[in-house]
Short mmCIF file of all heavy atoms in Angstrom, two decimals:
data_model
loop_
_atom_site.label_atom_id
_atom_site.label_comp_id
_atom_site.label_asym_id
_atom_site.label_seq_id
_atom_site.Cartn_x
_atom_site.Cartn_y
_atom_site.Cartn_z
N PHE A 1 7.03 8.84 2.85
CA PHE A 1 6.10 8.04 1.97
C PHE A 1 6.65 7.92 0.55
O PHE A 1 6.54 6.94 -0.06
CB PHE A 1 4.73 8.70 2.00
CG PHE A 1 3.99 8.46 3.26
CD1 PHE A 1 3.04 9.41 3.65
CD2 PHE A 1 4.22 7.34 4.03
CE1 PHE A 1 2.32 9.19 4.83
CE2 PHE A 1 3.47 7.15 5.15
CZ PHE A 1 2.54 8.06 5.56
N LEU A 2 7.25 9.06 0.10
CA LEU A 2 7.82 9.01 -1.24
C LEU A 2 8.90 7.99 -1.35
O LEU A 2 9.10 7.32 -2.44
CB LEU A 2 8.39 10.43 -1.62
CG LEU A 2 7.47 11.40 -2.15
CD1 LEU A 2 8.18 12.81 -2.36
CD2 LEU A 2 6.76 11.00 -3.43
N ILE A 3 9.58 7.77 -0.27
CA ILE A 3 10.77 6.79 -0.35
C ILE A 3 10.30 5.31 -0.21
O ILE A 3 10.76 4.43 -0.97
CB ILE A 3 11.81 7.13 0.77
CG1 ILE A 3 12.51 8.46 0.42
CG2 ILE A 3 12.89 6.09 0.83
CD1 ILE A 3 13.39 9.03 1.50
N ILE A 4 9.44 5.08 0.85
CA ILE A 4 9.18 3.70 1.16
C ILE A 4 7.98 3.12 0.50
O ILE A 4 7.95 1.91 0.31
CB ILE A 4 9.05 3.56 2.68
CG1 ILE A 4 7.73 4.32 3.17
CG2 ILE A 4 10.22 4.10 3.46
CD1 ILE A 4 7.37 4.05 4.60
N LEU A 5 6.94 3.92 0.13
CA LEU A 5 5.77 3.29 -0.31
C LEU A 5 5.82 2.74 -1.78
O LEU A 5 5.25 1.65 -2.03
CB LEU A 5 4.56 4.27 -0.15
CG LEU A 5 4.02 4.32 1.19
CD1 LEU A 5 2.67 5.25 1.25
CD2 LEU A 5 3.56 2.90 1.61
N PRO A 6 6.19 3.50 -2.74
CA PRO A 6 6.08 3.02 -4.16
C PRO A 6 6.70 1.59 -4.43
O PRO A 6 6.02 0.75 -4.95
CB PRO A 6 6.91 4.04 -4.99
CG PRO A 6 6.75 5.28 -4.23
CD PRO A 6 6.82 4.85 -2.80
N GLU A 7 7.90 1.34 -3.96
CA GLU A 7 8.51 0.07 -4.18
C GLU A 7 7.79 -1.05 -3.27
O GLU A 7 7.60 -2.20 -3.67
CB GLU A 7 9.96 -0.01 -3.79
CG GLU A 7 10.85 0.65 -4.80
CD GLU A 7 10.84 -0.07 -6.16
OE1 GLU A 7 10.71 -1.36 -6.16
OE2 GLU A 7 11.03 0.56 -7.23
N ALA A 8 7.20 -0.66 -2.14
CA ALA A 8 6.44 -1.62 -1.34
C ALA A 8 5.14 -1.98 -2.08
O ALA A 8 4.79 -3.18 -2.11
CB ALA A 8 6.20 -0.94 0.04
N ILE A 9 4.46 -0.99 -2.68
CA ILE A 9 3.29 -1.25 -3.46
C ILE A 9 3.65 -2.13 -4.66
O ILE A 9 2.83 -2.99 -5.06
CB ILE A 9 2.66 0.07 -3.88
CG1 ILE A 9 2.23 0.89 -2.69
CG2 ILE A 9 1.43 -0.23 -4.82
CD1 ILE A 9 1.72 2.28 -2.98
N ALA A 10 4.75 -1.84 -5.30
CA ALA A 10 5.03 -2.52 -6.59
C ALA A 10 5.26 -4.03 -6.49
O ALA A 10 4.94 -4.74 -7.30
CB ALA A 10 6.30 -1.95 -7.18
N TRP A 11 5.71 -4.49 -5.23
CA TRP A 11 6.08 -5.90 -5.10
C TRP A 11 5.31 -6.49 -3.98
O TRP A 11 4.97 -7.71 -4.06
CB TRP A 11 7.61 -6.04 -4.81
CG TRP A 11 8.39 -5.42 -5.94
CD1 TRP A 11 9.27 -4.34 -5.83
CD2 TRP A 11 8.54 -5.83 -7.29
NE1 TRP A 11 9.88 -4.12 -6.99
CE2 TRP A 11 9.44 -5.01 -7.93
CE3 TRP A 11 8.00 -6.82 -7.99
CZ2 TRP A 11 9.81 -5.07 -9.26
CZ3 TRP A 11 8.34 -7.01 -9.45
CH2 TRP A 11 9.24 -6.12 -9.97
N GLN A 12 5.07 -5.80 -2.92
CA GLN A 12 4.42 -6.39 -1.72
C GLN A 12 5.03 -7.74 -1.38
O GLN A 12 4.37 -8.68 -1.04
CB GLN A 12 2.93 -6.54 -2.03
CG GLN A 12 2.19 -5.22 -2.36
CD GLN A 12 0.72 -5.31 -2.42
OE1 GLN A 12 0.06 -6.15 -1.78
NE2 GLN A 12 0.13 -4.36 -3.25
N ASN A 13 6.42 -7.64 -1.35
CA ASN A 13 7.18 -8.81 -1.04
C ASN A 13 8.36 -8.39 -0.11
O ASN A 13 9.14 -7.62 -0.56
CB ASN A 13 7.70 -9.56 -2.28
CG ASN A 13 8.54 -10.70 -2.05
OD1 ASN A 13 9.63 -10.62 -1.35
ND2 ASN A 13 8.14 -11.85 -2.44
N LEU A 14 8.37 -8.80 1.12
CA LEU A 14 9.33 -8.34 2.05
C LEU A 14 10.77 -8.63 1.67
O LEU A 14 11.66 -7.71 1.85
CB LEU A 14 9.02 -8.88 3.43
CG LEU A 14 9.58 -8.20 4.67
CD1 LEU A 14 8.95 -6.80 4.75
CD2 LEU A 14 9.18 -8.87 5.92
N ASP A 15 11.03 -9.78 1.14
CA ASP A 15 12.48 -10.10 0.84
C ASP A 15 12.87 -9.18 -0.35
O ASP A 15 13.95 -8.70 -0.34
CB ASP A 15 12.46 -11.59 0.37
CG ASP A 15 12.31 -12.54 1.55
OD1 ASP A 15 12.56 -12.08 2.67
OD2 ASP A 15 11.87 -13.70 1.30
N GLN A 16 12.04 -9.07 -1.36
CA GLN A 16 12.36 -8.23 -2.52
C GLN A 16 12.59 -6.76 -2.08
O GLN A 16 13.50 -6.13 -2.50
CB GLN A 16 11.23 -8.30 -3.62
CG GLN A 16 11.28 -7.12 -4.55
CD GLN A 16 12.48 -7.17 -5.47
OE1 GLN A 16 13.08 -8.13 -5.58
NE2 GLN A 16 12.82 -5.97 -6.08
N TYR A 17 11.72 -6.38 -1.14
CA TYR A 17 11.86 -4.99 -0.61
C TYR A 17 13.17 -4.66 0.07
O TYR A 17 13.89 -3.70 -0.27
CB TYR A 17 10.73 -4.81 0.33
CG TYR A 17 10.52 -3.31 0.81
CD1 TYR A 17 10.05 -2.39 -0.10
CD2 TYR A 17 10.82 -2.93 2.09
CE1 TYR A 17 9.83 -1.06 0.28
CE2 TYR A 17 10.61 -1.58 2.48
CZ TYR A 17 10.15 -0.69 1.59
OH TYR A 17 9.92 0.62 1.99
N PHE A 18 13.59 -5.60 0.98
CA PHE A 18 14.90 -5.40 1.68
C PHE A 18 16.08 -5.61 0.76
O PHE A 18 17.09 -4.99 0.85
CB PHE A 18 14.92 -6.36 2.98
CG PHE A 18 14.19 -5.82 4.02
CD1 PHE A 18 13.03 -6.56 4.49
CD2 PHE A 18 14.46 -4.64 4.74
CE1 PHE A 18 12.26 -6.08 5.51
CE2 PHE A 18 13.74 -4.25 5.76
CZ PHE A 18 12.57 -4.89 6.22
N ASN A 19 15.99 -6.52 -0.16
CA ASN A 19 17.08 -6.70 -1.09
C ASN A 19 17.28 -5.47 -2.00
O ASN A 19 18.40 -5.14 -2.25
CB ASN A 19 16.72 -7.90 -2.08
CG ASN A 19 16.87 -9.26 -1.35
OD1 ASN A 19 17.52 -9.38 -0.34
ND2 ASN A 19 16.22 -10.24 -1.93
N PHE A 20 16.19 -4.85 -2.35
CA PHE A 20 16.32 -3.65 -3.19
C PHE A 20 16.93 -2.46 -2.40
O PHE A 20 17.84 -1.83 -2.82
CB PHE A 20 14.99 -3.13 -3.76
CG PHE A 20 15.00 -1.80 -4.36
CD1 PHE A 20 15.68 -1.58 -5.57
CD2 PHE A 20 14.41 -0.76 -3.81
CE1 PHE A 20 15.74 -0.38 -6.20
CE2 PHE A 20 14.38 0.48 -4.31
CZ PHE A 20 15.08 0.76 -5.53
N PHE A 21 16.45 -2.28 -1.12
CA PHE A 21 16.91 -1.14 -0.40
C PHE A 21 18.30 -1.34 0.24
O PHE A 21 18.83 -0.43 0.97
CB PHE A 21 15.88 -0.81 0.72
CG PHE A 21 14.77 0.14 0.21
CD1 PHE A 21 13.63 -0.39 -0.16
CD2 PHE A 21 15.04 1.49 0.20
CE1 PHE A 21 12.65 0.51 -0.67
CE2 PHE A 21 14.03 2.35 -0.30
CZ PHE A 21 12.85 1.82 -0.70
N THR A 22 18.85 -2.56 0.03
CA THR A 22 20.27 -2.72 0.36
C THR A 22 21.19 -2.80 -0.75
O THR A 22 22.33 -3.12 -0.74
CB THR A 22 20.40 -4.06 1.18
OG1 THR A 22 19.93 -5.19 0.49
CG2 THR A 22 19.68 -3.93 2.53
N SER A 23 20.63 -2.53 -1.98
CA SER A 23 21.47 -2.48 -3.27
C SER A 23 21.87 -1.09 -3.60
O SER A 23 21.41 -0.13 -3.11
CB SER A 23 20.59 -3.09 -4.41
OG SER A 23 19.55 -2.23 -4.76
N SER A 24 22.82 -1.03 -4.51
CA SER A 24 23.29 0.23 -4.98
C SER A 24 22.30 1.04 -5.77
O SER A 24 22.40 2.26 -5.93
CB SER A 24 24.60 0.09 -5.84
OG SER A 24 24.32 -0.76 -7.01
N TYR A 25 21.25 0.36 -6.34
CA TYR A 25 20.17 1.00 -7.23
C TYR A 25 19.27 1.84 -6.37
O TYR A 25 18.62 2.69 -6.89
CB TYR A 25 19.39 -0.03 -7.94
CG TYR A 25 20.16 -0.62 -9.08
CD1 TYR A 25 20.60 -1.97 -8.97
CD2 TYR A 25 20.44 0.02 -10.21
CE1 TYR A 25 21.29 -2.56 -9.98
CE2 TYR A 25 21.16 -0.59 -11.25
CZ TYR A 25 21.63 -1.88 -11.13
OH TYR A 25 22.31 -2.49 -12.13
N VAL A 26 19.34 1.73 -5.04
CA VAL A 26 18.41 2.54 -4.22
C VAL A 26 18.81 4.00 -4.36
O VAL A 26 18.00 4.88 -4.23
CB VAL A 26 18.47 2.08 -2.76
CG1 VAL A 26 19.81 2.38 -2.08
CG2 VAL A 26 17.30 2.71 -1.96
N LEU A 27 20.14 4.31 -4.63
CA LEU A 27 20.60 5.66 -4.77
C LEU A 27 19.98 6.31 -6.01
O LEU A 27 19.50 7.46 -6.00
CB LEU A 27 22.08 5.80 -4.83
CG LEU A 27 22.73 7.14 -5.03
CD1 LEU A 27 22.31 8.10 -3.89
CD2 LEU A 27 24.21 7.03 -5.18
N ILE A 28 19.95 5.55 -7.10
CA ILE A 28 19.30 6.05 -8.35
C ILE A 28 17.83 6.28 -8.07
O ILE A 28 17.22 7.24 -8.50
CB ILE A 28 19.58 5.06 -9.47
CG1 ILE A 28 21.05 4.82 -9.77
CG2 ILE A 28 18.90 5.54 -10.81
CD1 ILE A 28 21.38 3.79 -10.80
N TYR A 29 17.18 5.37 -7.39
CA TYR A 29 15.78 5.47 -7.05
C TYR A 29 15.42 6.79 -6.31
O TYR A 29 14.56 7.51 -6.65
CB TYR A 29 15.37 4.23 -6.20
CG TYR A 29 13.99 4.33 -5.64
CD1 TYR A 29 12.82 4.23 -6.38
CD2 TYR A 29 13.95 4.43 -4.21
CE1 TYR A 29 11.60 4.27 -5.70
CE2 TYR A 29 12.62 4.55 -3.64
CZ TYR A 29 11.52 4.48 -4.42
OH TYR A 29 10.27 4.48 -3.82
N LEU A 30 16.24 7.05 -5.34
CA LEU A 30 16.06 8.26 -4.49
C LEU A 30 16.26 9.54 -5.34
O LEU A 30 15.55 10.46 -5.25
CB LEU A 30 17.03 8.27 -3.30
CG LEU A 30 16.80 7.23 -2.21
CD1 LEU A 30 17.91 7.28 -1.17
CD2 LEU A 30 15.42 7.35 -1.62
N LEU A 31 17.28 9.43 -6.21
CA LEU A 31 17.55 10.66 -7.03
C LEU A 31 16.36 10.97 -8.01
O LEU A 31 15.98 12.09 -8.19
CB LEU A 31 18.89 10.42 -7.90
CG LEU A 31 20.16 10.60 -7.02
CD1 LEU A 31 21.30 10.11 -8.00
CD2 LEU A 31 20.34 11.95 -6.57
N ILE A 32 15.81 9.78 -8.55
CA ILE A 32 14.67 10.00 -9.48
C ILE A 32 13.46 10.55 -8.75
O ILE A 32 12.81 11.49 -9.23
CB ILE A 32 14.31 8.64 -10.14
CG1 ILE A 32 15.44 8.18 -11.12
CG2 ILE A 32 12.94 8.70 -10.87
CD1 ILE A 32 15.23 6.75 -11.65
N VAL A 33 13.15 9.99 -7.54
CA VAL A 33 12.00 10.45 -6.76
C VAL A 33 12.11 11.86 -6.41
O VAL A 33 11.24 12.76 -6.65
CB VAL A 33 11.77 9.62 -5.53
CG1 VAL A 33 10.73 10.22 -4.59
CG2 VAL A 33 11.41 8.15 -5.88
N PHE A 34 13.22 12.30 -5.84
CA PHE A 34 13.43 13.72 -5.41
C PHE A 34 13.61 14.66 -6.61
O PHE A 34 13.20 15.83 -6.51
CB PHE A 34 14.57 13.77 -4.48
CG PHE A 34 14.33 13.32 -3.15
CD1 PHE A 34 15.19 12.21 -2.66
CD2 PHE A 34 13.34 13.65 -2.32
CE1 PHE A 34 14.95 11.66 -1.40
CE2 PHE A 34 13.11 13.13 -1.06
CZ PHE A 34 13.86 12.15 -0.56
N SER A 35 14.05 14.21 -7.68
CA SER A 35 14.20 15.03 -8.89
C SER A 35 12.85 15.31 -9.47
O SER A 35 12.60 16.42 -9.99
CB SER A 35 15.17 14.42 -9.82
OG SER A 35 16.49 14.22 -9.43
#
């Protein structure tokens, strides 16, 4: 839930969601959440 829900809530757009999770910024996102 920590990984998939916040960005899904923020945009509620399937294309934006998959574009983000296939980008390099997803690593920074995961580091911030777990930190």
Side-chain angles (χ1 to χ4, degrees):
F1 286 151
L2 277 176
I3 294 174
I4 67 172
L5 277 186
E7 284 296 326
I9 295 171
W11 304 112
Q12 300 188 29
N13 181 298
L14 201 59
D15 291 336
Q16 162 65 22
Y17 190 71
F18 283 112
N19 287 339
F20 169 69
F21 274 95
T22 55
S23 71
S24 58
Y25 287 106
V26 70
L27 178 60
I28 301 176
Y29 168 74
L30 294 176
L31 288 173
I32 291 174
V33 169
F34 287 120
S35 297

